[in-house]
Structure formats: structure tokens, C-alpha cells
Amino acid sequence: MSIIRNFDKKLRSVGLRPTRQRLDICEVLFDRKETFHFTIDDLRKILKTKLHTKISIATIYNTINSFKHKGYIKEISLNSEKTYFDTNVTNHHHFYNETTNELIDFHDSDVEQLKLRKNLPGKKIKSIEVLVKVANK
Amino acid sequence: MSIIRNFDKKLRSVGLRPTRQRLDICEVLFDRKETFHFTIDDLRKILKTKLHTKISIATIYNTINSFKHKGYIKEISLNSEKTYFDTNVTNHHHFYNETTNELIDFHDSDVEQLKLRKNLPGKKIKSIEVLVKVANK
DNA sequence: AAGCACTTTAGAATCGTTCTAATATATTGA
DNA sequence: TCAATATATTAGAACGATTCTAAAGTGCTT
Ligand SMILES: [Mn+2]
Ligand SMILES: [Mn+2]
Ligand SMILES: [Zn+2]
Ligand SMILES: [Zn+2]
């Protein structure tokens, strides 16, 4: 299957061996149209119930940390209750719905160009990200 | 001293008894010109070394959680490593310097008015906050 | 001052995450 | 191909931040 092939290549390209565990996790994370926002527990449940695959919790953490270091996913800061990861590693903005706990990306086209008025001598901007919290009316 | 009087009032006004522990914590948090961004551990160290006051860690957590619920401080989401609190409870933006770990507020005047292009039918906007990560050049 | 409510406290418990070290699997190259 | 070597997985222990428990202390009301 070409997806598996692709994940195989993807993993090898950053020096990770394509083990069953890593391929299974790739399938959950990347075999989808939309950006995926998830917690370790979300991932663990999906692996168990949808993929019927058993991966130890240590390996799930190891793999997610490797993927993060390799730039396949990034961590996002929403609140201190849960640690979220995001398969969209670009610099982008989020809507967080506090009623439903849904987290969705929004794109540059959804917001007017953010312009800083402040000068930052001797500093380099690494990222500019907006978090919009909403609730159902 | 009028500051103490003020903290006394401040606490009473939301139904908290002005105990020594709460007054000491108020002094660290609010007896300053600038917004204070801190972790529980920062606070604990300041109480010990600057104020020479001993407060149990359970009380520090209890008090900070009370203050948060009463709207005296808010929690801010920077990263998943540490939990930060902020004495500026208004909706505002931050610069985080990854080199020095400094976190500073920036004000509406430092950024052009943020305009969302997206319509959000049935939703109410609770907050819009920007996090700018910078590093020293 | 007595009585009651609230607060503080030490230490235990909890929970997410990382570590350890034994076992298993993948890769290399003779 | 198949041993040797490197890397990965795993269960369970350890860790660290935070919360809980329940006993002792303090503040408020009358
Ligand atoms: Mn991490
Ligand atoms: Mn909290
Ligand atoms: Zn995203
Ligand atoms: Zn702030």
C-alpha cells in the first residue's frame, strides 16, 4: 500500500526505523485530510479501538516525542490541563470552543495580517500565534 | 499600612478571610508596579527568601487557586513545561523570549487591531490573545 | 469566652510523564 | 543467509506537580 510506503520513507528520511508501532501511529496521525489535534490519551484510545493495535504507553510517548523532535508534529499550548499535539506544524492560529472542547485551525485568510508596531532590536521573531477562545451562545 | 488595609479589603470583598498567608501572597503578587508573571515555584522562593515567611505548599496552591477563581489572577498557556500565572487579568498579549525565558505583556497599542474575517454564528468570543515567541539574535 | 466556620498543614494519594533495564526486532555485512 | 550489532519496545518503577485528607489552628459572631 502506498501510504505505508510513504510512512516508511517518511520515517527513514529522518533516521527512524519503520517499526510496526511507528507505522500504526503514523496511520492515526497522518492518514487523514484534516489537521489532527490530539492528546496522548486520544491517540491511545484510537490505537486501541480503531486500529486494534496494542502499543505500550512508554512507546506512545517515545514515538510522539521523536515525531515532535523531527518536526512531524508540534505541541500546542491551550491550557494547563492537557497537553495537545498538532499535525499542522506551520505557524497558524486556533479557535478553541470551550463549550464543546473543539480545537480548530484557522488560516491566515481568516484574520487580517497581524502587524506588530513594536520594534524588537536584537530579537528574532520565532512565531506569532493567535488563540481565539469561543463558547456556544 | 494602607497596602495591607487594601489587601484586607480586597480579600474580604470576595469572601476570603485575610489570613497572614493570604496577605503575604498578596504582597508578593500585587505590591508592585508591573504585571507579575510567575510559577508556583517562583512564588514559593520569593515568599521564603524575600519575605522570610513560611507557607505550606498546599496553602500556596489553595490560595493561588482561590485567587484565580475570584479573578485576581489568571493562568496563561505558554508551554506544557510550566504553569504560569499572571496578575494582569485583562485580555492581553505576550512576548515570550525563548533565550531568556522572559515573559512580558504587550498592549493593544503594540499591535494593529486584530480583525477576524471569519463569521462565527452561534458563538461568542471569550478572548483573543496573541503569543509572540522571540529569541535573541 | 464559646461555638462554629473557615484555614492551614504535613503527609498521603493521584496522575501524567519519563526512566530503567530486560527483551525483542531491525539492519549490516561477512 | 545469519550472526553481530544497533535500535526499539516494554512493564513496571520512579518522578514531580498538583490535589486530597483529616487533624490542628485561627478568625468571626454573638
Ligand atoms: Mn514534552
Ligand atoms: Mn489548575
Ligand atoms: Zn492546529
Ligand atoms: Zn501578562
Side-chain angles (χ1 to χ4, degrees):
Chain A
M1 189 174 285
S2 80
I3 288 162
I4 300 294
R5 283 282 71 135
N6 282 343
F7 293 152
D8 192 292
K9 260 190 200 139
K10 184 175 174 129
L11 291 169
R12 282 185 202 283
S13 74
V14 295
L16 295 173
R17 289 179 178 175
T19 60
R20 177 189 58 83
Q21 290 83 349
R22 286 172 180 160
L23 289 167
D24 284 348
I25 291 175
C26 278
E27 206 176 320
V28 175
L29 302 192
F30 306 118
D31 189 11
R32 50 177 81 225
K33 284 271 165 53
E34 301 278 312
T35 291
F36 182 38
H37 299 105
F38 65 98
T39 64
I40 293 288
D41 197 55
D42 293 336
L43 175 56
R44 200 188 45 71
K45 286 202 182 90
I46 294 171
L47 287 164
K48 185 155 66 176
T49 66
K50 297 222 172 67
L51 254 69
H52 304 286
T53 188
K54 169 69 173 55
I55 307 183
S56 79
I57 191 67
T59 296
I60 294 175
Y61 276 103
N62 288 343
T63 301
I64 288 303
N65 285 331
S66 297
F67 285 7
K68 183 175 142 194
H69 290 131
K70 298 301 184 178
Y72 288 171
I73 59 179
K74 68 172 181 175
E75 207 172 314
I76 54 184
S77 304
L78 255 197
N79 59 49
S80 61
E81 323 298 303
K82 285 180 173 180
T83 299
Y84 284 87
F85 296 90
D86 191 337
T87 56
N88 180 350
V89 296
T90 67
N91 201 314
H92 66 284
H93 313 309
H94 291 103
F95 280 107
Y96 181 62
N97 187 323
E98 294 182 340
T99 310
T100 62
N101 292 318
E102 275 177 305
L103 176 64
I104 60 180
D105 283 353
F106 73 94
H107 300 95
D108 287 344
S109 58
D110 296 330
V111 71
E112 273 178 30
Q113 178 64 25
L114 244 169
K115 270 238 166 313
L116 296 184
R117 288 201 183 114
K118 201 160 199 158
N119 270 50
L120 300 165
K123 309 257 190 308
K124 198 177 3 209
I125 291 180
K126 308 290 285 188
S127 67
I128 301 183
E129 295 192 337
V130 179
L131 176 60
V132 180
K133 293 190 179 172
V134 304
N136 288 347
K137 269 195 208 128
Chain B
M1 188 175 287
S2 81
I3 287 162
I4 300 293
R5 284 281 74 133
N6 282 344
F7 293 150
D8 194 291
K9 260 191 200 137
K10 184 175 173 127
L11 291 169
R12 283 183 202 285
S13 74
V14 295
L16 295 173
R17 289 180 179 172
T19 61
R20 177 189 58 84
Q21 291 84 347
R22 285 172 181 158
L23 290 167
D24 284 348
I25 290 175
C26 278
E27 206 176 319
V28 175
L29 303 192
F30 306 119
D31 188 9
R32 49 176 83 224
K33 286 268 166 53
E34 301 279 313
T35 290
F36 182 38
H37 298 107
F38 63 99
T39 64
I40 293 288
D41 197 55
D42 293 337
L43 175 56
R44 198 186 47 70
K45 288 201 180 90
I46 293 171
L47 287 164
K48 186 156 66 177
T49 67
K50 297 222 170 65
L51 255 71
H52 304 285
T53 189
K54 170 67 173 57
I55 308 183
S56 79
I57 192 67
T59 298
I60 294 175
Y61 276 104
N62 288 344
T63 303
I64 288 304
N65 285 331
S66 297
F67 285 6
K68 182 176 142 192
H69 291 130
K70 297 301 186 180
Y72 287 171
I73 59 178
K74 69 172 179 175
E75 206 173 313
I76 54 184
S77 303
L78 254 197
N79 60 48
S80 61
E81 323 298 305
K82 286 179 171 180
T83 299
Y84 284 85
F85 297 91
D86 192 338
T87 56
N88 180 351
V89 296
T90 68
N91 201 313
H92 66 284
H93 313 307
H94 290 104
F95 279 107
Y96 180 63
N97 186 323
E98 294 183 340
T99 309
T100 61
N101 292 318
E102 274 177 304
L103 177 64
I104 61 179
D105 283 355
F106 72 94
H107 301 93
D108 287 345
S109 59
D110 297 328
V111 71
E112 274 178 30
Q113 177 66 25
L114 242 171
K115 269 236 165 319
L116 295 184
R117 288 202 182 113
K118 201 160 198 158
N119 270 51
L120 299 164
K123 309 258 188 310
K124 197 175 8 207
I125 291 179
K126 307 291 284 191
S127 66
I128 301 183
E129 295 191 337
V130 179
L131 176 61
V132 179
K133 293 190 178 171
V134 303
N136 288 348
K137 266 192 213 137

